[in-house]
Amino acid sequence: MTAAPADLFAKPPSPYSVFRHRDFRLMWIGQFVSTAGTALTSLAASILVYRLTGSALSVGLMMIATAAPSLLVGLFAGVIVDRYDRKRIMIVTELLRAVLIALIPFLVSQSIIWLYVIVALTSAIAQFYDPAHESVLPEVAPEKELAAANSLMSISSFGSTAIGFAASGLIASAASIDWAFYIDAVTFLISALCIVLITVKPLDVEEDASAGMVVRNLRVGLRFLADTPVLRSLFLVYIPVLISYGLSNSLLLPFSDRALGATEFQYGIQEALTSVAFVACSLILAGIFDRMREGQWIALSWIVMGIMTMIYARLTSIPLAMVVIAVSGFANAPSAIGGRLILQRNTPREMRGRVNSAFFVSRDIVFLIGMGLAGLADFVDVRLMFLISGVILLAGGLLVLSLIHI
């Protein structure tokens, strides 16, 4: 009788074993702290604008100020990330954002326009940080632990977002909203310190930097996307979904106020519950994500989210709305993790900056469409607008089912 292989009955490795890598721990902590602060500023800025204007369009414009800079610098930022020290890029961008956010309380007292300007500038800077961060992650976690690493990084991001949203709603209700911006500035400094302690292998770049080089490398990156079927398909399916995301994200505050009669704190709790539920799902997925293909997870995610958004559009009860939006947040995790894995597993190291930037730019372009459409809620029933958002999201999930090669 032949003996069974020794590893046949071996206990599978814990999805949390990736934390044994020091650099991954530092990246995880840095992102947790930084994202919590960013959530503080994001929600505080929207609340501040809505207080002053009472307009859904104004909230949408604030979010547009966040997304628009990617149209100007996003693609070229990816080229820079692929040609310069990614660690240094992350450190410098975190420090610059700390300074800008700290200036908000001083400048907004002069004119609300300064809030839009600083939000746009910090977003432009993020166009360099985000692809650098995404490009480094596969270097601090081995391939066999990459799915778990992405799940845990999503937990870091969305878990801290929950803290930031809840804290921002509380600060807006009980204290000076300026504190949200001061705290965010400190979180960027802490994140920069974590990055300083990370070891990242330098890129081998043979060609000197020049305007012509940037254009040539940009063309190479875009051609790679167009010629890679799985990445091309991912672009396609994200179009309707990101319109829905932009629409629903811009409408949540006006919807909470007009349709649910919720307070600013209750609005912050809804945002926080979305992130808490996302974290809960990510914890589960850290150990089971590799049991299905990325495309299957994405389809399931968007279909459930679309249904939940359509239900949410008809609700009048705040507690029930919190339950439904939490379920939607739970369902969001598989698509977020699946999309990141598809990018990481199908892009060579030397092109990750350009590929990630291309996705970020396309994301923000389509976001802008959804955010712009949110302005219609000043003239059209906000419930109808939310229902349309759910229908679009459901359609995106069904589209993924037709693209079985993802």
Side-chain angles (χ1 to χ4, degrees), residues 77-314:
V79 176
I80 299 302
V81 167
D82 280 343
R83 303 195 64 79
Y84 291 97
D85 189 329
R86 291 166 176 170
K87 175 179 175 178
R88 184 173 299 175
I89 288 172
M90 289 191 288
I91 294 171
V92 171
T93 53
E94 292 293 71
L95 293 177
L96 288 174
R97 289 193 285 182
V99 173
L100 287 171
I101 294 298
L103 290 175
I104 288 178
F106 301 99
L107 297 177
V108 170
S109 60
Q110 301 177 28
S111 172
I112 191 65
I113 297 299
W114 279 111
L115 183 58
Y116 288 94
V117 171
I118 293 179
V119 166
L121 286 174
T122 55
S123 177
I125 293 170
Q127 302 308 312
F128 293 88
Y129 176 87
D130 291 342
H133 185 276
E134 291 295 314
S135 300
V136 168
L137 181 58
E139 299 181 38
V140 301
E143 166 60 28
K144 65 180 180 180
E145 295 177 333
L146 194 54
N150 276 279
S151 296
L152 294 170
M153 196 60 74
S154 294
I155 291 170
S156 171
S157 177
F158 279 82
S160 59
T161 296
I163 296 172
F165 282 153
S168 187
L170 181 60
I171 291 172
S173 301
S176 171
I177 204 166
D178 291 350
W179 280 103
F181 304 115
Y182 295 140
I183 294 172
D184 186 17
V186 173
T187 64
F188 280 125
L189 295 177
I190 296 173
S191 175
L193 177 60
C194 290
I195 297 168
V196 167
L197 300 174
I198 293 173
T199 301
V200 180
K201 181 181 177 182
L203 287 170
D204 295 325
V205 179
E206 298 179 357
E207 186 178 3
D208 292 334
S210 66
M213 172 277 295
V214 171
V215 173
R216 286 193 298 273
N217 278 269
L218 178 56
R219 289 174 179 170
V220 171
L222 293 175
R223 190 180 306 116
F224 178 82
L225 285 173
D227 294 342
T228 307
V230 65
L231 298 183
R232 186 172 61 242
S233 297
L234 192 63
F235 260 122
L236 175 64
V237 297
Y238 261 88
I239 292 174
V241 169
L242 290 172
I243 290 176
S244 175
Y245 280 178
L247 184 60
S248 60
N249 287 344
S250 298
L251 288 177
L252 187 57
L253 177 54
F255 185 93
S256 297
D257 176 49
R258 301 174 189 175
L260 297 177
T263 65
E264 291 174 347
F265 179 63
Q266 289 170 329
Y267 160 63
I269 290 297
Q270 288 186 79
E271 292 277 22
L273 284 174
T274 302
S275 298
V276 169
F278 185 103
V279 169
C281 187
S282 296
L283 282 169
I284 297 171
L285 292 175
I288 67 171
F289 195 90
D290 283 331
R291 296 182 184 180
M292 290 194 342
R293 297 176 64 182
E294 293 94 339
Q296 293 172 313
W297 284 115
I298 292 173
L300 177 64
S301 173
W302 289 345
I303 289 172
V304 173
M305 288 180 68
I307 294 172
M308 290 299 104
T309 302
M310 293 164 66
I311 293 174
Y312 184 84
R314 307 306 305 165

